[in-house]
Amino acid sequence: MSDLLAHLNPSQAQAVTLPDEHALILAGAGSGKTRVLTTRIAWLIHSGAVSPAGILAVTFTNKAAREMRLRIEAMVDGRARGMWIGTFHGLCNRLLRAHHRDAGLAALFQILDVADQLAAIKRLLKALNVDSDRFPPRELLYFINTHKEAGLRPHAIEAHDDYTRRRVELYQEYEAQCQRESVVDFAELLLRCHELLQRNEPVRRHYQQRFRHILVDEFQDTNALQYRWLKLLAAEGGEGGAALFCVGDDDQSIYRFRGANVGNMRDFEREFHVRHLIRLEQNYRSHGNILDAANAIISNNGNRLGKNLWTERGEGEPIRVFEALSDGDEARWIVGEIETLVREGVARGDIALLYRANAQSRALEHQLFSSGIPYRVHGGLRFFERQEIKHALAYLRLIANADDDTAFMRVVNFPARGIGARSQELLLDAARAGGASLYAAIAALSGRSAVALAPFHRLIEDLRGETAALPLPDLVEHVLERSGLRTHYQTEKEGQDRLENLAELVTAARNFSVEAQVAPETWGAPHGLLAEFLNHASLEAGDHQAGAEEDAVQLMTIHAAKGLEFDVVFLGGLEEELFPHGNSLAESGGLEEERRLMYVAVTRARKRLYLSCAQERVLHGQTHYCLRSRFLDEIPQSLVKFLARGTQRSASAAPSGSGAVSRPRAPETASSRGLPGGLRIGQNVRHPRFGYGVIVAAEGGGGDAKAQINFGDAGVKWLLLSAAKLETV
């Protein structure tokens, strides 16, 4: 028994050896929560408090469940037989298999994954002759799953309008179809299992008496139904129920969009009269400056259970902050720093680039590609490999070359336009018979197939004519609108992310036009630059594809980074409306969730943390002047080293006042004395967004002239004078 506790700190040991009571373990980032969970189970078995068959352990991923089982088996000499360890869905599946009759299911019921569920909904709509434009399948899937996760069957949903009533009817029809076919979706697994335990007292009592200890990992990520399921198994906290041992961190609750309810932690503490709330605050991952920054940021959130991370690893290096002129400037700086780190011996695989939105990866990928640095995108696809981007590129490829059969087949019926499999088969036959492309073979069709394909043929012809003289970015914008791609993704549950990626494609086209050094008036050319852009996209999609064993820089969203750690972390895009995201600012509790996301991002770094923002960023194809994120200003100045533009790892004078980044004054050169428009250093100016300021430094000349301007409360900004629209005061 003493060997189990030998490598635990006092707080961890206290949690492991708690009596058989309900407990809430507040486990900070990098504090060893998995060690505590597995050691707690081993302690219970070794002490004789419970047999392995009396233990239920719940995780959120199959990988975590496998790791937990392996660790426990090593600690109890293989005496883990009989334990139930798994995800919520896996455990519910196991329980329903054992009691399928009581649950109203066939013995060999099948489970639908998300793709299967969507296909089932599409079949239902087709069978009922329901207009899929008015009731998009993905939107209906979201409607059904959201209500299931809230524990609501169709009869329990209040419908105040005809549209909602029709969706409720379709939900009911979908349930009937699934029952006929003996299939269940993921949301149904949990809901059906909860209903079984709630309504069948013998089954409920059996499991309540069997499981004497229930341990839950990542408790902050549980939704309302999952918490209700746990309460049923634990006898609602009553006498004789199981002891609930819940481990989580309210500061790392970042999945509200999936239904996670951070309030479950407080409810558990109150409803189960928890006497033992133990905080695991010693961090084994990061240096002190990183943890102090994370503590300072998250302290601005209210209604926390409260904890303060600390470490014995020392303060470490300061957090480096860089304010770029533009998003392109930011990407170049990040890649330049990476090149320096690699020369110093840092492995590329130990470097992570994190971002709030998937669309941000495009500029970073482009710069890494241009610099020949291999990289790997986690939790998602590279920019030019994403579904919505490949669909858009397929339309563009047909404009450049209508005989591109691969592009044709990708979008001939996307978005859906009623071109069925039979029409496509007849078209393929006609193309083979005539030795022609699919596009050309449309003319050889007759009857219903010809009628079905004619509108698509007209669309491509119209697009080719309408875009012949358009600049490349305008061409891309026009295609996204006319093709129906934008309208299609507006109806998806997670369509906002896809729409942002499509907008970033317009930005990529604009940047490519500039980098190609082609005059704006000849960007159309006609479609000449488009062909070059498509070649560029293909090269970026296929080159520098890091193999599984190759040392590569890691790119991912902050959500995808949760649970991971890296020696070096770069976090870009720290601007208001981007991070914190603009959508969150209008939602109740949205800003607090964004701050928790920032906390997660910061605590991914072990040794070095780089934060950056841009004064100008191209979003949705438009240039925006950006305000630095409030999260930067929530970091104590003593923890930060500000990097001057054009230098690497050089400190500037300590900022003051509003906390805005200040820079060392640039030497006054001939170019800075003779600025465009008669401007000079010391000149008072007014900017349409940042207000009144004074020019304090300058660099460059002509159209590339830039000025550093102190705008007081709005901070110190470097602006490109040819675009800044300054007025002299």
Side-chain angles (χ1 to χ4, degrees):
M1 294 286 281
S2 59
D3 290 344
L4 288 175
L5 307 180
H7 302 292
L8 302 180
N9 66 40
S11 295
Q12 292 173 334
Q14 182 188 4
V16 166
T17 58
L18 282 172
D20 296 353
E21 296 179 8
H22 306 304
L24 179 58
I25 313 302
L26 199 60
S31 63
K33 70 175 179 63
T34 304
R35 177 186 295 180
V36 167
L37 268 168
T38 53
T39 309
R40 170 67 172 174
I41 293 173
W43 172 271
L44 290 170
I45 294 172
H46 273 298
S47 67
V50 66
S51 71
I55 293 174
L56 175 72
V58 189
T59 69
F60 269 84
T61 67
N62 289 314
K63 179 182 177 182
R66 286 192 298 270
E67 181 182 348
M68 186 179 292
R69 180 176 291 278
L70 288 173
R71 287 199 194 187
I72 294 167
E73 287 176 345
M75 287 190 281
V76 298
D77 301 322
R79 291 184 291 132
R81 180 179 291 275
M83 278 193 307
W84 280 30
I85 301 177
T87 64
F88 279 101
H89 292 114
L91 293 170
C92 286
N93 175 54
R94 182 172 180 175
L95 201 149
L96 289 173
R97 296 283 177 192
H99 304 280
H100 61 89
R101 288 191 183 87
D102 294 316
L105 291 170
L108 300 177
F109 68 84
Q110 298 296 305
I111 300 172
L112 301 176
D113 62 20
V114 175
D116 293 333
Q117 185 184 11
L118 183 61
I121 288 173
K122 288 179 178 177
R123 280 193 292 108
L124 175 72
L125 295 178
K126 186 173 182 180
L128 297 175
N129 292 318
V130 174
D131 184 358
S132 60
D133 290 332
R134 185 157 185 256
F135 296 93
R138 289 185 183 275
E139 188 178 289
L140 185 57
L141 180 148
Y142 177 63
F143 177 84
I144 291 170
N145 287 350
T146 299
H147 284 91
K148 284 189 178 185
E149 288 165 3
L152 297 175
R153 293 294 185 188
H155 64 81
I157 300 173
E158 293 185 12
H160 300 291
D161 57 76
D162 291 340
Y163 185 71
T164 304
R165 274 190 287 275
R166 184 54 175 151
R167 287 198 293 181
V168 170
E169 291 170 0
L170 292 171
Y171 176 9
Q172 196 165 12
E173 293 283 357
Y174 168 76
E175 284 199 315
Q177 174 178 289
C178 289
Q179 192 68 26
R180 286 194 305 271
E181 298 175 0
S182 297
V183 296
V184 298
D185 53 54
F186 284 129
E188 182 70 20
L189 281 172
L190 189 61
L191 179 54
R192 186 75 67 111
C193 188
H194 178 268
E195 290 172 341
L196 170 66
L197 293 172
Q198 189 176 46
R199 297 170 183 172
N200 193 310
E201 185 176 355
V203 172
R204 182 175 70 251
R205 286 193 178 279
H206 168 75
Y207 288 102
Q208 287 174 343
Q209 291 168 5
R210 171 177 176 164
F211 297 124
R212 307 314 302 152
H213 288 268
I214 300 175
L215 302 96
V216 188
D217 191 14
E218 303 286 8
F219 186 60
Q220 77 280 351
D221 292 335
T222 54
N223 62 30
L225 186 58
Q226 287 163 345
Y227 180 45
R228 285 160 56 189
W229 184 81
L230 288 169
K231 289 200 294 183
L232 273 179
L233 282 175
E236 301 281 349
E239 291 294 325
L244 266 173
F245 186 90
C246 298
V247 181
D249 183 2
D250 57 332
D251 291 334
Q252 294 190 78
S253 179
I254 59 173
Y255 296 116
R256 188 172 66 151
F257 65 95
R258 293 182 187 168
N261 180 16
V262 68
N264 286 345
M265 299 186 79
R266 287 234 179 244
D267 291 344
F268 169 60
E269 186 182 16
R270 183 185 69 256
E271 294 171 359
F272 283 75
H273 309 290
V274 174
R275 295 193 305 124
H276 300 289
L277 191 157
I278 297 177
R279 292 172 171 83
L280 304 183
E281 297 174 302
Q282 183 174 358
N283 178 283
Y284 295 92
R285 175 188 300 159
S286 306
H287 285 146
N289 284 337
I290 293 170
L291 298 180
D292 289 346
N295 290 331
I297 291 166
I298 203 63
S299 67
N300 290 278
N301 271 2
N303 200 32
R304 297 171 59 227
L305 290 167
K307 67 183 181 308
N308 203 59
L309 297 178
W310 60 276
T311 184
E312 293 180 343
R313 300 189 65 194
E315 291 182 355
E317 300 185 26
I319 297 164
R320 294 167 170 85
V321 175
F322 179 72
E323 186 174 12
L325 288 173
S326 66
D327 47 351
D329 190 26
E330 178 189 51
R332 285 188 291 274
W333 171 76
I334 289 173
V335 172
E337 284 288 332
I338 290 172
E339 290 174 327
T340 301
L341 289 165
V342 171
R343 284 195 297 269
E344 292 178 355
V346 178
R348 286 188 290 264
D350 290 332
I351 302 172
L353 276 58
L354 308 185
Y355 34 84
R356 174 63 181 86
N358 268 309
Q360 289 175 257
S361 78
R362 205 274 316 164
L364 295 169
E365 289 186 55
H366 173 68
Q367 198 59 42
L368 289 165
F369 168 79
S370 300
S371 301
I373 299 176
Y375 65 92
R376 186 178 298 111
V377 179
H378 284 252
L381 298 170
R382 290 163 169 252
F383 181 78
F384 285 110
E385 294 172 345
R386 292 168 189 163
Q387 178 206 85
E388 62 277 14
I389 299 302
K390 295 189 79 169
H391 285 325
L393 291 175
Y395 278 104
L396 295 172
R397 284 165 59 185
L398 286 175
I399 290 172
N401 174 20
D403 295 328
D404 186 331
D405 284 354
T406 302
F408 183 96
M409 288 303 296
R410 184 174 190 90
V411 294
V412 64
N413 198 40
F414 192 93
R417 49 177 61 90
I419 301 174
R422 181 58 181 159
S423 293
Q424 294 180 44
E425 288 173 11
L426 291 172
L427 180 62
L428 286 165
D429 292 341
R432 280 193 292 267
S437 69
L438 294 172
Y439 187 79
I442 292 176
L445 293 178
S446 60
R448 296 170 63 181
S449 298
V451 172
L453 283 155
F456 180 69
H457 186 276
R458 282 197 302 272
L459 172 64
I460 301 303
E461 284 297 303
D462 289 346
L463 286 174
R464 300 187 79 195
E466 293 162 0
T467 61
L470 287 180
L472 180 60
D474 294 346
L475 183 158
V476 175
E477 180 76 44
H478 186 76
V479 169
L480 295 179
E481 202 63 45
R482 282 276 276 117
S483 65
L485 286 175
R486 278 218 174 102
T487 301
H488 171 79
Y489 288 120
Q490 284 169 354
T491 65
E492 280 199 351
K493 173 187 174 183
E494 297 180 2
Q496 184 59 39
D497 203 18
R498 297 191 188 277
L499 289 170
E500 289 177 1
N501 286 334
L502 290 176
E504 186 60 24
L505 183 64
V506 179
T507 300
R510 176 171 283 104
N511 291 346
F512 181 81
S513 301
V514 173
E515 290 170 6
Q517 297 183 334
V518 178
E521 60 270 17
T522 63
W523 281 356
H527 300 152
L529 192 60
L530 171 60
E532 292 183 32
F533 177 63
L534 292 170
N535 289 336
H536 159 77
S538 297
L539 288 171
E540 279 211 20
D543 205 0
H544 293 282
Q545 180 67 43
E549 303 302 321
E550 186 175 358
D551 184 26
V553 174
Q554 314 295 306
L555 273 69
M556 66 198 77
T557 64
I558 303 169
H559 283 99
K562 188 171 181 293
L564 304 178
E565 54 187 75
F566 306 91
D567 281 351
V568 182
V569 168
F570 288 86
L571 176 59
L574 279 162
E575 299 127 32
E576 293 290 303
E577 304 291 331
L578 184 54
F579 194 23
H581 199 282
N583 293 344
S584 71
L585 300 178
E587 300 172 356
S588 175
L591 177 59
E592 287 75 13
E593 177 119 342
E594 290 290 295
R595 190 172 280 112
R596 293 194 292 269
L597 198 57
M598 179 68 179
Y599 176 84
V600 167
V602 169
T603 54
R604 298 311 94 195
R606 298 189 193 106
K607 299 176 180 177
R608 291 178 178 173
L609 176 63
Y610 294 79
L611 308 176
S612 60
C613 59
Q615 295 176 9
E616 295 178 8
R617 185 174 297 274
V618 181
L619 289 172
H620 315 305
Q622 300 294 321
T623 300
H624 297 262
Y625 292 109
C626 307
L627 295 176
R628 55 188 267 129
S629 171
R630 68 192 72 195
F631 299 151
L632 281 173
D633 295 326
E634 291 173 359
I635 301 174
Q637 306 274 316
S638 59
L639 305 176
V640 173
K641 173 188 276 189
F642 295 94
L643 303 184
R645 186 178 178 279
T647 64
Q648 294 184 351
R649 309 211 188 136
S650 60
S652 71
S656 59
S658 66
V661 176
S662 67
R663 307 175 186 278
R665 181 171 175 138
E668 190 172 344
T669 62
S671 63
S672 67
R673 286 194 300 270
L675 294 170
L679 297 172
R680 65 185 188 283
I681 291 178
Q683 174 78 55
N684 292 313
V685 294
R686 181 181 178 278
H687 186 272
R689 176 161 186 176
F690 302 129
Y692 293 96
V694 58
I695 299 176
V696 296
E699 63 179 46
D704 295 325
K706 305 176 182 70
Q708 185 188 43
I709 305 170
N710 187 338
F711 287 106
D713 289 342
V716 180
K717 311 287 183 186
W718 277 98
L719 299 181
L720 186 67
L721 294 178
S722 61
K725 300 179 181 178
L726 293 174
E727 298 176 16
T728 58
V729 180

